[in-house]
Amino acid sequence: MINPARVLCIGEILFDYLADQPGRSLEQVASWTAYPGGAPANVASGLVKLGIPSALISAVGMDEPGNRLLQLLQQVGVQTSGIQQYSTAPTRQVFVLRSDEGEREFAGFGERQSNEFADTLLQASQIPEKLFLDADFLVLGTLALAYPQSREAIIHALKMADRYNLKILVDINWRPVFWSNPLDARRFIPDLLKQVDFVKLSAEEAELFFNTTDPISIHSQLDSIEGVMITDGQKGCSYSLGEFQGKIPGFAVNVVDTTGAGDAFVAGFIHQIYQYGIRGLNDPETIQKMIIYASAVAALTVTKPGAFTAQPTEAEVEAFLKSF
């Protein structure tokens, strides 16, 4: 019998086409390698590898890439009853350039426009309510807000999360290339943040949306939430969780590809909530352990290309932490 999903992740699943030649422009890249990705899918996969049953709510095309992604999720152990398939739109693909240092740059969607892919068609009415009965967490990004139909699905999921008392975590995951009008994000994202419990964002996103990289300041601006975490690559993570604040330096690792690092951090943080319970946020030393663990999951993920394939198991994270 399949254990019910404890964490629901809603949003895009796709193939990242990573440039095989780092440091080249879009026109100069000679070949690409496809890796499964999409922030919510990355979190769901990362959680399962850490031992937390998870489900993905998303939409793919009724095509070979969509079928392959479904199969990959099932192989990992992510529950797929919340995946919708459509014959009228293809599974999303994103082309990603890489710098020599492993940093990525989203280079668009090939010959298609951002709003032509299946994930934009996610229907609220087709989201299985039974998934929410046994879940504790809803995790989402903001990309689905860029399209009318998937935005309605997000609103619906938030209402069900509220009805069934799920904690809600949002990773802003700002990608302007997904938005036909980036100004819409200024309207929809702040409204979303009023409805969640935890916010994870990068230092760049903190500066863009809040004009500060101080988590205490952001926490005070979002006074209804339980915590803010700001990640900044190898510089580490600053946080304001409950009544406690701090900063944990990042791990020095050999960076191959930063795709999925933030998603891995989210998976690691939620794993620690299960490890210590939500009451762990009442203790500053426990919070530090949580952030160190989440940072270790992220650090291990950047040492290999792709997101799914690079994600560590619980045993690998423990071994990594013991080595420091």
Side-chain angles (χ1 to χ4, degrees):
M1 180 179 174
I2 297 175
N3 291 326
R6 307 302 300 274
V7 182
L8 310 180
C9 302
I10 183 169
E12 69 283 355
I13 184 171
L14 47 82
F15 274 109
D16 285 315
Y17 282 77
L18 264 60
D20 290 330
Q21 297 80 31
R24 294 191 185 181
S25 68
L26 180 64
E27 294 75 23
Q28 292 172 327
V29 173
S31 59
W32 309 79
T33 299
Y35 292 94
N42 293 342
V43 175
S45 170
L47 281 163
V48 169
K49 290 184 180 182
L50 294 173
I52 309 294
S54 304
L56 181 65
I57 300 168
S58 188
V60 295
M62 209 170 281
D63 51 20
E64 192 276 333
N67 292 334
R68 188 147 46 109
L69 286 172
L70 272 171
Q71 188 177 26
L72 284 167
L73 287 171
Q74 289 159 359
Q75 287 172 351
V76 170
V78 175
Q79 295 181 36
T80 58
S81 62
I83 306 278
Q84 303 170 19
Q85 274 193 287
Y86 295 99
S87 60
T88 53
T91 301
R92 188 180 292 275
Q93 58 184 32
V94 183
F95 290 87
V96 184
L97 301 175
R98 289 189 293 158
S99 72
D100 290 324
E101 294 76 35
E103 294 297 325
R104 68 229 160 109
E105 176 189 344
F106 290 85
F109 308 98
E111 298 178 356
R112 294 186 179 273
Q113 298 299 310
S114 178
N115 61 357
E116 295 179 9
F117 294 97
D119 57 277
T120 69
L121 301 179
L122 184 65
Q123 290 186 42
S125 62
Q126 300 301 311
I127 296 174
E129 186 168 351
K130 64 182 180 181
L131 284 174
F132 290 76
L133 296 174
D134 296 297
D136 307 304
F137 262 95
L138 177 69
V139 177
L140 65 155
T142 63
L143 300 186
L145 298 176
Y147 317 100
Q149 196 159 309
S150 55
R151 183 164 61 245
E152 287 302 313
I154 292 292
I155 292 168
H156 179 70
L158 289 169
K159 288 177 180 175
M160 284 202 286
D162 185 56
R163 184 184 309 159
Y164 293 104
N165 297 313
L166 276 65
K167 295 288 185 184
I168 303 169
L169 184 151
V170 63
D171 181 352
I172 287 183
N173 199 35
W174 172 242
R175 303 284 181 264
V177 70
F178 280 75
W179 295 77
S180 58
N181 182 4
L183 291 177
D184 285 343
R186 294 286 190 177
R187 195 155 46 101
F188 296 128
I189 292 176
D191 187 53
L192 169 66
L193 298 181
K194 295 172 186 174
Q195 305 175 63
V196 307
D197 299 290
F198 298 97
V199 176
K200 183 266 168 196
L201 64 170
S202 69
E204 294 84 0
E205 290 163 347
E207 196 66 62
L208 179 65
F209 286 95
F210 296 97
N211 298 311
T212 180
T213 56
D214 176 18
I216 303 171
S217 173
I218 295 172
H219 200 165
S220 66
Q221 291 180 55
L222 301 169
D223 58 2
S224 63
I225 69 170
E226 296 181 37
V228 174
M229 293 162 283
I230 301 176
T231 54
D232 194 10
Q234 291 193 353
K235 293 180 182 178
C237 173
S238 55
Y239 60 87
S240 176
L241 289 163
E243 298 180 2
F244 303 101
Q245 300 83 32
K247 181 165 184 176
I248 299 295
F251 291 94
V253 294
N254 180 34
V255 177
V256 173
D257 173 28
T258 59
T259 304
D263 311 323
F265 180 94
V266 170
F269 174 72
I270 292 176
H271 172 277
Q272 292 293 279
I273 293 286
Y274 280 101
Q275 184 85 12
Y276 292 103
I278 204 76
R279 292 183 305 278
L281 298 177
N282 296 325
D283 177 64
E285 291 185 6
T286 301
I287 290 173
Q288 286 188 350
K289 290 177 183 176
M290 289 177 167
I291 299 298
I292 289 170
Y293 188 96
S295 300
V297 179
L300 282 167
T301 299
V302 303
T303 61
K304 300 175 186 175
F308 273 43
T309 49
Q311 293 164 335
T313 63
E314 195 172 10
E316 287 170 333
V317 179
E318 294 295 342
F320 177 78
L321 286 169
K322 286 178 182 175
S323 70
F324 278 85

